[in-house]
Amino acid sequence: VELWQGPDNTPHKMRVYVEDGALRTFNAVIGTPRGPNTVAIRNIGQLEFPLDAVVRPDRDDGLAAGIASVATRSETIQGGALRTYPFNPTVDSVAIILKTDGRPLNARIELLQGPNNNKQVVELYTEDGLDRPFFAIVETPGSGNVVRVVNTAPVEFPLYASVDAYRVGGGIDWPDDGLMIGRAF
């Protein structure tokens, strides 16, 4: 996913991997300030794995406003560092906001379920993390979900991350993964 602004300017780039797009859809907001922009979506996967994409404008009461409303705190992640955010099995989706103080934003966001089992990965670049912050909703069905945010920039480029529960349910829609934690049989 790329944002094009003019003929030779790509101020926002994302590379997204989702293990099961039907179970964990990818939802993100790309800021498009100042002038005409184009959003480019390419599937670089194999022919047997097509994708469906929807690009639409986000109004003042849209997805970005919903994500910002659940953000309670932000943490500084220095360049080269990482933070992990474990979530309760009752959390159905997680809201993620990444931004900087006007410097470039380079990050890797991973949804893990179990030890080093990537379910979703987003590699992100934004030329100005204050002008174009990253907003996303990550679906977290099942148990043992951990969101890992890695700042892949040098130490001079810290980022500010807010990762909070977006939708909390009873786990009724979970697939049967054979693991019950904290519930009576």
Side-chain angles (χ1 to χ4, degrees):
V1 179
E2 294 181 345
L3 175 68
W4 297 340
Q5 189 176 35
D8 289 328
N9 186 17
T10 308
H12 190 98
K13 296 178 189 178
M14 276 187 279
R15 191 171 188 152
V16 181
Y17 163 80
V18 180
E19 184 181 82
D20 185 352
L23 186 61
R24 293 177 187 83
T25 59
F26 176 70
N27 297 300
V29 177
I30 300 174
T32 57
R34 291 183 306 283
N37 296 282
T38 302
V39 175
I41 300 172
R42 280 187 303 180
N43 184 0
I44 59 172
Q46 297 173 352
L47 181 66
E48 292 84 12
F49 300 109
L51 64 85
D52 290 328
V54 176
V55 178
R56 66 175 181 83
D58 189 47
R59 304 288 180 215
D60 293 336
D61 60 346
L63 185 61
I67 295 170
S69 70
V70 300
T72 56
R73 68 191 189 301
S74 66
E75 251 184 295
T76 302
I77 303 175
Q78 296 295 333
L82 66 91
R83 293 279 188 281
T84 58
Y85 303 89
F87 285 95
N88 209 343
T90 60
V91 175
D92 293 333
S93 61
V94 173
I96 301 172
I97 301 175
L98 300 181
K99 58 186 174 181
T100 65
D101 57 359
R103 300 176 192 178
L105 171 65
N106 286 294
R108 181 177 166 101
I109 304 159
E110 301 172 348
L111 173 65
L112 304 167
Q113 195 171 35
N116 291 326
N117 186 5
N118 286 336
K119 297 296 183 180
Q120 189 167 339
V121 178
V122 178
E123 294 175 354
L124 173 68
Y125 165 76
T126 300
E127 72 179 9
D128 184 344
L130 183 63
D131 203 21
R132 301 175 195 277
F134 176 73
F135 297 92
I137 300 290
V138 176
E139 303 293 325
T140 57
S143 60
N145 291 300
V146 175
V147 174
R148 179 167 52 193
V149 179
V150 181
N151 186 348
T152 56
V155 74
E156 297 87 5
F157 298 102
L159 66 85
Y160 307 103
S162 178
V163 181
D164 290 304
Y166 183 69
R167 192 177 68 226
V168 179
I172 296 168
D173 299 337
W174 296 344
D176 184 16
D177 59 2
L179 182 61
M180 297 289 281
I181 299 174
R183 289 191 149 174
F185 290 99

